[in-house]
Amino acid sequence: MALPMAGSSSGPGADNGTDVQRLKNIIPGRTRDPTIKINLTSAKKKIYTTSDKFEGTVSIECHADTPFDEISIELAGTARTYVERMATAAAMSGRSQAFHRFMTLEQPGLKHLWPADRILRVGITYEFAFAFTVPTGLLPRTCTHTVSNDAVREAHLLLPPTFGDKEQAKIAKLQDDLAPDMASVRYGLFVQIFKYKQTDQGLKSVLITGGVKARRLRIIPMVEVLPPLAVGYGEGDYHMRQEKRTKPGMFKGKTGTLTIEAEQPQALIVDTTFESDYPVSTMATVSLRFDPLDQKITPPGLGNIATKLKVSTFFSSTARSQFPSKSAATHDLSQGIHSEQLNLSARCVNNVEWEKRGPARSSAAARRDSANSTISPATTAEGPNNIPIPAPSLEYRPEIAYYTARVLVPITLPENKFFVPTFHSCLLSRSYQLKLELGLAGFGAGSLSLKLPIQIAALPLESAPAGGLGRTATAETQTGTGTATDEDEYDGDDVWDFFEPRSMTGAARPVRRGSLAPPVVGGVGSDDVLPDYSPYVPSAGGRRGSGVVPRRRSSARP
């Protein structure tokens, strides 16, 4: 039978729409691909958090009768990293990459809604309802690799936040989360239509042409406030105490030793409802001590104290057994680190009030080597004004009076950035460091600095502790109401970048249910392959039912 030409007509202005539609049903290609739409019927948000429920429907309309064997609707979470290895030997240079699908929740009960003959007919719109709740944690099989302690496993089984999804941020006009190109965490709804195919390896589920649709979701889970880090004196990533010998001038002798120290500040708490109009802030307490060499010497003049926030992203192409550190990322070719430093504020402290304390009356106040200081060295005593006293310096003389002071430093996050909570996963981490730099008055006096760990937690407004609660962005850019639109959807070939490792050949992709792509370490031109981890391969049955369950937190922490 001869087919009519798409442009043919029986006369000027004749309607040939019927013939064109018939061609779409017959000619193979993209015109026959199913049209899949994901509609969120519940109140739509820009950001979801733990225990938030979202529901809606998936509508499928085919332009040709389409046989199928399975339709799935999943909530998926994936992590992707790559590390550029710069080595002197050419064989060791290149890029190592990793992909981890750490969560899959599948909508049950769809089978009863499928057509009995397993054929999607032309002219019929099929609708399937779905409902998901953001879980509180991941299944233990998500993290099965070797870890150094239970605290690492505990952290790896917590839900990581959406992170580094630059395509979503561009579409939704979200603020910069300071994530590098080398690391990302993504969530979204994933609709797939499969057809079973017999192969040499057995029966496999193969995705039909055009039978895929994805919608990105931005998830920021609740993160509890954790106890302070156990930081020893002189550790590389953090410095809780510093001593400096003071001089009245460049060519004059020393007058004593000035000591600065601080404990880890209270956590910065982001409101997960993003309804608070207050900035995210907390307070750091800095303790000062001056040990003069002579009874007549007074404390040196102080200048400004500047605060900076160092945002560090750690990423790896192999599963990590420990919490990340700068030294590990430097010496391990499979790990990388990306840091950005933000200036927060600077304030003058030249009017600080020093309190003079009399000479020691017993041997208990004898000098002590500062190398013996611990995580909280300011525990020797407290004065009448409740000022913690730092431990004596190396220059301390018990027979000479010394001076102490305290400076309160407000810490407020900038509102032009989006700060995800502190987290640690199998492949990547985000941590924050607070840098305090105290300048001394006088020519060539120099400065002292501290590097303190600080946590960013995420809690709902009603359950957060007092102080330090707020938002990290304006409500207009983070939340909204109404029904989701196509502008927020993300579909097409790039959905494989979203949920799956990239195809090695670039050809039509069969969906490997229960199997994962082999690890690949290649050169600069090998970024078309993103490997998975064999320890992450689920048991028989693939991703089916690999959901998540609530989990009890222990008191262990990094």
Side-chain angles (χ1 to χ4, degrees):
M1 180 183 68
L3 295 177
M5 299 297 294
S8 64
S9 61
S10 57
D15 183 10
N16 61 348
T18 304
D19 292 337
V20 173
Q21 184 62 41
R22 186 180 297 112
L23 281 174
K24 291 182 178 180
N25 295 339
I26 297 176
I27 298 176
R30 298 290 296 179
T31 56
R32 298 185 59 190
D33 292 350
T35 299
I36 305 175
K37 293 185 179 180
I38 302 175
N39 304 302
L40 291 174
T41 57
S42 57
K44 190 202 106 182
K45 292 180 170 183
K46 288 287 182 68
I47 297 179
Y48 295 89
T49 190
T50 306
S51 301
D52 276 354
K53 183 178 181 179
F54 51 91
E55 54 190 5
T57 60
V58 171
S59 62
I60 302 176
E61 183 179 357
C62 292
H63 307 289
D65 292 348
T66 305
F68 74 97
D69 289 310
E70 184 179 359
I71 299 175
S72 70
I73 304 175
E74 300 174 344
L75 172 61
T78 63
R80 182 189 301 276
T81 62
Y82 70 84
V83 180
E84 296 286 359
R85 300 184 303 169
M86 306 302 294
T88 55
M92 299 182 62
S93 300
R95 173 181 292 186
S96 58
Q97 308 167 74
F99 177 90
H100 182 198
R101 184 163 179 154
F102 57 82
M103 185 190 76
T104 299
L105 293 175
E106 188 165 353
Q107 176 65 38
L110 295 179
K111 185 175 182 179
H112 302 290
L113 304 177
W114 298 343
D117 57 359
R118 303 289 177 91
I119 299 177
L120 299 174
R121 302 288 181 180
V122 178
I124 300 178
T125 300
Y126 300 87
E127 288 193 352
F128 306 93
F130 65 84
F132 293 100
T133 300
V134 179
T136 59
L138 302 172
L139 285 175
R141 66 180 176 186
T142 302
C143 176
T144 58
H145 59 87
T146 303
V147 294
S148 59
N149 54 66
D150 292 338
V152 176
R153 184 83 68 195
E154 176 91 5
H156 288 187
L157 291 179
L158 295 178
L159 211 63
T162 298
F163 180 79
D165 192 348
K166 299 185 183 301
E167 293 88 349
Q168 184 196 49
K170 182 178 180 180
I171 293 174
K173 298 180 180 179
L174 299 173
Q175 292 176 317
D176 181 18
D177 60 6
L178 302 172
D181 294 335
M182 295 78 75
S184 65
V185 175
R186 305 179 184 183
Y187 292 92
L189 293 170
F190 202 24
V191 181
Q192 299 175 99
I193 306 176
F194 299 101
K195 182 69 178 176
Y196 296 152
K197 181 179 180 180
Q198 187 66 42
T199 65
D200 296 338
Q201 291 77 29
L203 196 64
K204 286 190 175 182
S205 298
V206 178
L207 188 69
I208 69 171
T209 303
V212 60
K213 182 75 171 183
R215 179 192 292 277
R216 280 182 159 88
L217 296 173
R218 192 172 180 86
I219 295 179
I220 306 296
M222 296 182 190
V223 177
E224 299 176 5
V225 177
L226 300 175
L229 290 175
V231 179
Y233 179 83
E235 291 193 3
D237 290 359
Y238 305 106
H239 296 286
M240 315 295 286
R241 172 187 172 106
Q242 186 182 8
E243 298 179 2
K244 182 179 181 62
R245 295 177 179 177
T246 59
K247 296 181 179 181
M250 181 175 297
F251 301 104
K252 296 183 180 181
K254 62 181 181 179
T255 58
T257 300
L258 180 63
T259 301
I260 179 175
E261 67 181 27
E263 297 181 352
Q264 178 176 337
Q266 291 186 351
L268 293 156
I269 304 176
V270 178
D271 175 23
T272 54
T273 64
F274 295 93
E275 296 177 354
S276 173
D277 293 328
Y278 299 98
V280 180
S281 60
T282 188
M283 190 74 68
T285 302
V286 177
S287 299
L288 302 174
R289 174 173 178 145
F290 178 65
D291 294 329
L293 295 180
D294 188 270
Q295 192 68 45
K296 298 180 181 180
I297 299 176
T298 58
L302 304 180
N304 293 337
I305 185 167
T307 58
K308 301 177 182 180
L309 184 68
K310 185 178 181 180
V311 183
S312 297
T313 304
F314 298 87
F315 48 94
S316 175
S317 59
T318 59
R320 299 177 307 180
S321 61
Q322 297 180 344
F323 290 109
S325 65
K326 182 178 179 180
S327 60
T330 303
H331 297 93
D332 188 347
L333 293 179
S334 68
Q335 298 189 41
I337 178 175
H338 176 271
S339 298
E340 292 190 35
Q341 188 165 271
L342 305 177
N343 295 324
L344 299 184
S345 64
R347 58 194 298 255
C348 182
V349 293
N350 59 1
N351 59 347
V352 65
E353 295 183 1
W354 289 92
E355 181 177 354
K356 185 177 181 179
R357 300 182 182 276
R361 297 181 180 179
S362 66
S363 59
R367 73 174 65 180
R368 185 180 66 171
D369 192 330
S370 60
N372 294 327
S373 300
T374 61
I375 177 179
S376 181
T379 57
T380 56
E382 290 190 359
N385 296 328
N386 197 30
I387 298 177
I389 301 176
S393 66
L394 293 173
E395 304 293 337
Y396 172 63
R397 297 181 180 181
E399 68 277 8
I400 300 177
Y402 62 96
Y403 299 83
T404 61
R406 181 180 63 172
V407 179
L408 298 179
V409 183
I411 309 300
T412 302
L413 291 181
E415 295 189 3
N416 61 342
K417 302 292 183 182
F418 189 89
F419 297 90
V420 300
T422 304
F423 75 96
H424 302 282
S425 66
C426 298
L427 290 180
L428 56 114
S429 296
R430 164 60 66 85
S431 64
Y432 300 92
Q433 180 189 101
L434 181 66
K435 184 176 181 180
L436 304 175
E437 187 170 350
L438 175 63
L440 303 182
F443 178 76
S447 63
L448 297 92
S449 62
L450 298 176
K451 297 179 181 179
L452 310 177
I454 187 169
Q455 181 197 3
I456 294 184
L459 292 172
L461 184 63
E462 62 275 7
S463 63
L469 183 62
R471 55 178 171 78
T472 61
T474 58
E476 291 79 4
T477 60
Q478 299 300 342
T479 59
T481 57
T483 304
T485 63
D486 290 339
E487 182 182 0
D488 298 310
E489 295 187 9
Y490 188 80
D491 60 346
D493 295 336
D494 288 339
V495 297
W496 299 115
D497 274 350
F498 189 2
F499 290 113
E500 297 285 350
R502 297 177 186 173
S503 172
M504 294 183 183
T505 61
R509 171 190 305 271
V511 176
R512 300 176 297 277
R513 311 208 63 156
S515 62
L516 301 175
V520 173
V521 177
V524 176
S526 66
D527 59 341
D528 286 336
V529 183
L530 290 176
D532 301 294
Y533 293 121
S534 56
Y536 296 157
V537 178
S539 57
R543 301 192 307 263
R544 310 285 292 184
S546 58
V548 296
V549 294
R551 195 174 50 80
R552 178 181 299 176
R553 289 181 57 90
S554 69
S555 58
R557 65 140 313 155

